[in-house]
């Protein structure tokens, strides 16, 4: 399939040698031509190892984000202000679980077992979106998450429907339909609150103040500090760069805030006629990298909630496995 070359490290080969995979140039050229022609790459097709690795990294992190992303909203399920709001929120959170499952399945088609991905999340080796390390303090936060967080997620995920790996692209089609409902329900909560009592208006503004900058960080580091963008764009894993999507999000969202009579917490935000888009202030990248390193305000609680759920659910997994074995014995008999 491909040749491997053992490269000795600077330790004179005393420690384990670093294995660098050198792909077969003819296969690599054929693969790149297929990608350039916008063909989907499927699970059984030949692909460079770096392509496989990048996809497993991105798709599993995406899956973890959906699963960890259930926690901030789950925090409000028992405090939703009405039965209708509770039913909507419950449906949304269940959708997120489904997204996580499609995505773990898509990553599994690349040969990585689900248990391995989950272990990487629990041990802190795998990342998930920084946004879910912030707390949800008031009901308006549920509106802000739908409007801004799901809004940012849609910006990023709509182009992923055309990502070059078929199983990831197909998972995204369904995910995007559901995200669109999520964004609308969030914006509707914000509309009600922004037109409500003075206290509700203050809550809506406060939620926007706290979620705005973390939402812009969701798109990842600036292009010139993004180690993965160039190759992911060439292999059409990503169809737009981090900065392009961030700009699009700002341009779409600012008028929505104006409609709500809420102000974006950015003194430098200004429409730029020449570029037909908004200029905006500097993102606090120190905060972003700190949250990526696991230092977010509620990062420890998030991982603890996931590991507790995993441990408490062990008996369910065991029972399901025993049941599946019994079924397959019955089918074989
Ligand atoms: N948070 O070279 P870069 C949802 C990492 S859930 C944490 O630009 P790439 C929802 C990045 O991984 C939807 N880490 O990377 C659910 C990389 O580190 P590694 C979430 C981040 O991959 C429930 C390093 O920084 N959406 O909507 O080319 C309720 C350098 O970055 C972040 C997705 O997961 C971040 N924000 O581009 C409500 C989208 N940004 O891995 C809502 C899928 C960057 O090299 N993912 N890093 O160690 C992507 O599209 C891309 O992976 C990214 C980053 C645009 C995020």
């Amino acid at each position: 399939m491909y040749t491997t070359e053992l490269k000795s490290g600077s330790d004179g080969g005393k420690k384990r040698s670093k294995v660098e995979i050198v792909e077969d140039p003819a296969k690599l050229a054929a693969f790149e031509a297929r990608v350039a022609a916008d063909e989907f790459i499927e699970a059984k097709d030949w692909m460079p190892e770096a392509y496989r690795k990048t996809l497993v990294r991105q798709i599993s992190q995406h899956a973890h984000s959906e699963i960890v992303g259930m926690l901030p909203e789950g925090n409000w399920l028992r405090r939703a202000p009405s039965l209708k709001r509770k039913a909507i929120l419950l449906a949304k959170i269940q959708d997120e679980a489904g997204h996580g499952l499609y995505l773990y399945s898509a990553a599994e088609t690349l040969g990585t077992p689900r248990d391995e991905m989950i272990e990487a999340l629990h041990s802190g080796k795998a990342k998930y979106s920084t946004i879910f390390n912030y707390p949800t303090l008031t009901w308006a936060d549920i509106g802000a998450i739908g409007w801004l967080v799901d809004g940012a997620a849609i910006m990023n995920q709509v182009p992923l429907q055309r990502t070059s790996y078929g199983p990831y692209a197909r998972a995204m089609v369904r995910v995007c339909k559901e995200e669109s409902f999520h964004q609308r329900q969030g914006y509707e909560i914000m509309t009600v609150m922004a037109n409500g009592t003075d206290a509700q208006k203050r809550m809506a503004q406060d939620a926007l103040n706290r979620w705005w900058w973390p939402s812009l960080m969701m798109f990842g580091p600036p292009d010139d500090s993004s180690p993965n963008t160039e190759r992911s764009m060439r292999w059409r894993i990503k169809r737009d760069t981090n900065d392009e999507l961030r700009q699009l999000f700002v341009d779409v969202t600012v008028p929505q805030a104006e409609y709500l009579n809420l102000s974006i917490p950015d003194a430098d935000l200004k429409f730029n006629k020449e570029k037909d888009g908004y200029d905006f202030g500097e993102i606090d990248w120190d905060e972003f990298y700190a949250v990526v390193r696991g230092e977010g305000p509620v990062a420890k609680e998030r991982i603890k909630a996931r590991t507790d759920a995993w441990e408490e659910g062990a008996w369910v997994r065991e029972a399901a496995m025993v049941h599946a074995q019994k079924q397959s014995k019955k089918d074989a008999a």
Side-chain angles (χ1 to χ4, degrees), residues 54 57-58 61-63 65-70 73 92 96 99 125 127-132 145 149-150 153-154 156-157 160 168 179 182 217-222 225-229 232 238 242 245 288-289 292:
T54 300
R57 177 185 62 80
Q58 179 168 324
Q61 290 182 7
H62 195 160
S65 302
E66 301 283 357
I67 298 298
V68 178
M70 295 162 73
E73 290 173 303
K92 177 186 191 299
E96 310 297 1
H99 299 176
K125 228 168 78 189
K127 297 185 169 72
Y128 59 88
S129 185
T130 43
I131 193 81
F132 302 116
I145 289 180
V149 176
D150 288 279
I154 293 172
N156 167 278
Q157 289 172 158
L160 288 176
Y168 191 19
E179 294 291 14
H182 298 170
M217 293 176 196
M218 279 178 77
F219 295 95
S225 316
S226 161
N228 298 300
T229 291
S232 286
K238 285 164 83 163
N242 301 355
L245 292 173
F288 169 77
Y289 287 113
V292 170

